[in-house]
Amino acid sequence: QCNVTIRAHDALGDVISLLALVKFLMEDFSCSIEKLIELSNDDEYELTFLPFGKYRGKSFDEVAQENPEYLQWICKNSDFDQPIIYSAKLALERLKGD
């Protein structure tokens, strides 16, 4: 629309890319920018589905039943975002409760 070339590691390119990402998330999750900000600041936000890896798109509960070791690995790996670790822990707790 603006007839701008997006370049890697360029401030304008980063802003345009971020804007595109925010618009996508707002549409995909049907929520406002305020809700996205709230979610991004909440470490104890439970995710429903794994967003990466060999179980991408599967629910945390499905993975807990199929391969609890995978979720245990996530819980021990501090490289993951807190909501991912939190969601893995909850799924493992629910599995123990069954």
Side-chain angles (χ1 to χ4, degrees), residues 33-80:
I33 186 73
E34 292 81 13
K35 183 66 176 174
L36 287 178
I37 292 169
E38 178 187 328
L39 293 174
S40 71
N41 290 321
D42 187 356
D43 285 345
E44 292 190 346
Y45 175 75
E46 185 177 7
L47 303 172
T48 306
F49 301 98
L50 272 103
F52 60 85
K54 63 184 179 180
Y55 294 109
R56 182 181 185 175
K58 284 199 167 195
S59 74
F60 280 86
D61 289 333
E62 285 178 276
V63 177
Q65 291 192 11
E66 289 179 29
N67 188 355
E69 294 81 14
Y70 187 77
L71 295 185
Q72 291 165 353
W73 170 75
I74 287 174
C75 291
K76 293 176 188 172
N77 192 331
S78 62
D79 291 334
F80 291 112

